[in-house]
Amino acid sequence: MEFLELKDFLDMKVEQYNRPNFIQNDPICIPHQFSKKQDIEIAAFFAAILAWGQRKTIINKCNELFARMDNDPYNFMLHHNDSDLKRLLGFKHRTFNDTDLLYFVSFFHQHYQQFDSLEAAFLAPGDTFQTDFLSDQVIGNYAGYASSSCMLPELGQQSPKIERSLNYFRSYFFSLPDYPRRTIKHVSSPMQKSTCKRLNMFLRWMVRKDNKGVDFGVWNTLKPADLICPCDVHVDRVARKLGLIERKQTDWRTAVELTVKLQEFDPVDPVKYDFALFGLGVEEKF
């Protein structure tokens, strides 16, 4: 397709899928069950991290998880006791088990004692993040840039910021003492050359602001223009068919390459095209 023809096609698909009826069959329906900002953040984070396999199964497992927290996740994170934690034992989805879950709970407990929003966990040093309570070791181990992809001139200052954010978040997330080594695999970063699909999806939910009622847009420091498109198997396949990706493998640089292309269609909100690419792949088998 020519540029304008492809833009019109993708814009049409965004309009088709970025609407409230998208919510009920997607993991984003989990945070939509809550109204308090912190509940939304916690529910969205778990829904994104557990987004493996069929969407129906993901939704059911998330509902099971929050039922174990009396559907009050923020209060649970702040005020749980040992008896409450026992209710989490036995939870499992794919390779995510109760050992991982208990560490996640510890992280949220620590974080929300210091900060009002989870957005602070993604603001790296130099991006107005308060580091008073973090150890020098954590800050010293923070890797700001993971690959040459973040230096692509086409992206200006956008990719470096989100790459810093994701790399920093992983360092911060595992800053508590005695974290389980097995849990590391559940939180990716560009440093591992991962596409960071789950975290990029979570960031889309938290950051994008529109009037469609799907994404929440509850965060204000990170901007929609900062985001990188979540690149799962469906998005990757459709994007390649449309000529939006040339890179042979699928990794962080692939997600950056795709986002660069999408910025040509909308530099302010390129990740809105995730709706189009995902919808074409999953709903239409494009």
Side-chain angles (χ1 to χ4, degrees), residues 137-236:
Q137 181 180 4
V138 173
I139 297 173
N141 288 341
Y142 160 67
Y145 296 105
S147 66
S148 60
S149 64
C150 68
M151 304 305 290
L152 286 174
E154 298 95 325
L155 283 174
Q157 295 302 309
Q158 306 307 327
S159 183
K161 182 173 184 178
I162 209 67
E163 187 160 347
R164 287 197 307 272
S165 295
L166 290 170
N167 284 334
Y168 180 74
F169 174 75
R170 191 171 190 264
S171 296
Y172 170 49
F173 189 86
F174 292 109
S175 64
L176 301 184
D178 301 323
Y179 61 84
R181 297 292 299 177
R182 60 155 286 118
T183 306
I184 294 175
K185 65 178 177 289
H186 294 298
V187 179
S188 59
S189 76
M191 200 181 311
Q192 285 72 48
K193 304 187 188 307
S194 168
T195 63
C196 301
K197 184 267 292 189
R198 295 176 181 86
L199 288 177
N200 282 326
M201 182 172 67
F202 168 72
L203 291 175
R204 194 205 85 198
W205 294 350
M206 296 296 96
V207 173
R208 281 196 71 249
K209 294 175 170 63
D210 61 25
N211 59 357
K212 305 299 184 180
V214 182
D215 292 330
F216 292 89
V218 293
W219 291 359
N220 295 309
T221 303
L222 293 170
K223 305 299 181 185
D226 296 330
L227 300 176
I228 297 294
C229 187
C231 194
D232 68 0
V233 292
H234 307 288
V235 169
D236 181 84

Side-chain angles (χ1 to χ4, degrees), residues 33-139:
Q33 297 173 15
F34 301 95
S35 57
K36 184 185 298 182
K37 179 180 179 180
Q38 293 87 354
D39 285 335
I40 291 170
E41 291 175 339
I42 295 167
F45 189 80
F46 275 108
I49 292 295
L50 298 180
W52 300 348
Q54 294 185 347
R55 287 188 289 172
K56 182 178 179 180
T57 301
I58 297 164
I59 292 167
N60 288 339
K61 294 304 293 187
C62 288
N63 283 328
E64 175 194 335
L65 173 60
F66 292 116
R68 293 174 183 235
M69 301 179 186
D70 295 325
N71 291 308
D72 194 2
Y74 180 55
N75 183 63
F76 186 94
M77 299 305 171
L78 285 180
H79 304 298
H80 61 265
N81 56 37
D82 289 345
S83 178
D84 296 325
L85 292 177
K86 288 181 180 178
R87 287 187 275 145
L88 303 182
L89 298 180
F91 180 83
K92 181 177 174 61
H93 175 59
R94 297 291 185 102
T95 65
F96 187 93
N97 67 15
D98 47 13
T99 298
D100 307 312
L101 176 56
L102 290 174
Y103 181 78
F104 275 50
V105 171
S106 296
F107 166 78
F108 282 120
H109 177 73
Q110 171 76 12
H111 178 80
Y112 282 115
Q113 286 183 324
Q114 302 288 335
F115 296 100
D116 185 57
S117 171
L118 190 56
E119 184 177 18
F122 288 87
L123 301 179
D127 291 337
T128 69
F129 185 73
Q130 301 177 23
T131 58
D132 296 345
F133 76 101
L134 291 180
S135 69
D136 292 337
Q137 181 180 4
V138 173
I139 297 173

